[in-house]
Amino acid sequence: MSNTATIKDQIKKLVDIQTMDLEIYRLKSELKEKPIEVEGLKAEFEAKKTGLKVLEDKLKALMLKQKEYEGDLKVKEEAITKADGHLSQLKTNKEYSAKLLEIESIKADKSMAEEKILIGFDQMDEARKAMEAEKVVVANYERDFQSKKKVIDDILALADDQLKVKQSQRDRLTPDVRPDILSRYDRLVQNKDGLGIVPVKNQTCQGCYMHLTEQAMNKIKINEELMSCDMCARILYFEEEL
Ligand SMILES: [Zn+2]
């Protein structure tokens, strides 16, 4: 077998491997990038949940405050009942007038407590509405997140499966390539975005689009040795020469 035939044969094999490798490269990128996409969506969803938690805490705080106001009102009511009970026991007009004043004062405090309770009810009502509305938003968000995640999980499972197939298909081709050629090609694939061997079209490297000299073109055509692009170092070939 002449060297020309050998090189040509090796190039054909590399081109077949390259077809697999491009697919492998694409699948690996997908397997790397899609989970990051899921993380992003999850972070957005978590942020929404935190927002809801803030509204829930606000409502809880208002409810606690309301309990406080109600306790305060009860104290005032009891004080009024107690003071009212004292009235009948008082002997002098002075004492009686003083007690009446005291009762009026407690009643004023009681009114204030009632007012606070009414305002509290409005605030709680508002906070509850905001919370309920946000709950719906978060529920929708969760549904949306879960369905997007499902789509991505399915893509990942499929990509994983396809990757295994492609890799085993590739493994069947590599023993036919000379180890020195294969390792040169593999290094290029590693370092040049998955592209180690590219065709020449319109006297241009299809990896980096550098224009090739006539001399380089002739060398590639005769297939006596593996030719590399001076610019990107990828192995070059003519599709029509294979
Ligand atoms: Zn190039």
Side-chain angles (χ1 to χ4, degrees):
M1 196 190 285
S2 73
N3 192 45
T4 306
T6 314
I7 290 295
K8 201 171 182 176
D9 180 57
Q10 293 288 292
I11 287 177
K12 271 186 197 170
K13 301 236 156 69
L14 282 184
V15 169
D16 288 343
I17 293 172
Q18 178 66 85
T19 306
M20 300 288 167
D21 278 340
L22 273 181
E23 189 60 12
I24 288 170
Y25 185 80
R26 186 188 69 77
L27 291 166
K28 278 185 177 170
S29 304
E30 201 163 65
L31 287 167
K32 204 166 109 188
E33 283 155 20
K34 289 284 174 191
I36 299 170
E37 206 177 302
V38 174
E39 285 307 309
L41 291 170
K42 190 165 180 242
E44 275 177 41
F45 172 51
E46 291 298 329
K48 283 277 163 198
K49 278 208 292 194
T50 307
L52 175 60
K53 176 85 172 46
V54 169
L55 293 176
E56 282 170 347
D57 288 348
K58 188 181 169 193
L59 178 61
K60 269 185 208 156
L62 285 171
M63 286 165 84
L64 272 178
K65 204 79 191 149
Q66 193 74 341
K67 278 244 153 45
E68 219 175 87
Y69 294 151
E70 281 166 356
D72 198 30
L73 176 64
K74 201 164 170 247
V75 168
K76 298 288 183 274
E77 281 170 345
E78 281 166 2
I80 291 167
T81 309
K82 202 172 155 196
D84 274 343
H86 281 160
L87 273 181
S88 56
Q89 296 161 20
L90 297 172
K91 308 273 189 303
T92 68
N93 191 39
K94 196 182 165 194
E95 282 173 330
Y96 194 81
S97 300
K99 190 51 81 180
L100 279 182
L101 267 179
E102 187 193 326
I103 291 172
E104 282 315 304
S105 164
I106 303 170
K107 277 186 177 170
D109 287 349
K110 182 190 159 211
S111 289
M112 273 173 67
E114 282 169 339
E115 184 67 21
K116 279 182 185 169
I117 287 170
L118 284 178
I119 293 170
F121 275 129
D122 283 347
Q123 286 175 332
M124 286 197 313
D125 211 35
E126 216 171 284
R128 196 172 284 120
K129 275 182 193 154
M131 190 194 72
E132 293 301 335
E134 193 59 20
K135 261 189 191 168
V136 174
V137 171
V138 170
N140 285 335
Y141 225 89
E142 176 161 26
R143 213 171 303 127
D144 192 42
F145 165 69
Q146 294 297 356
S147 78
K148 280 180 183 163
K149 186 177 180 295
K150 170 87 173 62
V151 169
I152 294 174
D153 284 346
D154 289 349
I155 291 173
L156 285 173
L158 187 65
D160 197 51
D161 192 56
Q162 285 175 335
L163 182 63
K164 284 190 186 109
V165 172
K166 288 289 158 199
Q167 254 157 354
S168 81
Q169 285 173 338
R170 183 194 201 271
D171 290 344
R172 293 172 68 87
L173 298 174
T174 49
D176 295 336
V177 182
R178 255 167 47 196
D180 61 317
I181 293 180
L182 186 63
S183 71
R184 175 171 159 190
Y185 163 80
D186 279 342
R187 265 200 309 278
L188 287 164
V189 168
Q190 283 284 325
N191 301 323
K192 304 279 173 187
D193 299 328
L195 211 50
I197 183 165
V198 291
V200 173
K201 276 180 195 157
N202 304 319
Q203 210 170 330
T204 310
C205 161
Q206 294 301 294
C208 70
Y209 302 102
M210 191 191 74
H211 191 76
L212 301 161
T213 63
E214 285 297 337
Q215 193 194 6
M217 293 283 286
N218 288 332
K219 275 191 167 177
I220 298 161
K221 263 183 197 146
I222 56 176
N223 277 325
E224 267 177 3
E225 55 179 321
L226 276 189
M227 289 295 294
S228 288
C229 170
D230 284 340
M231 185 73 100
C232 70
R234 291 185 177 98
I235 300 164
L236 297 170
Y237 70 98
F238 276 109
E239 270 168 332
E240 47 271 34
E241 298 293 326
L242 293 185

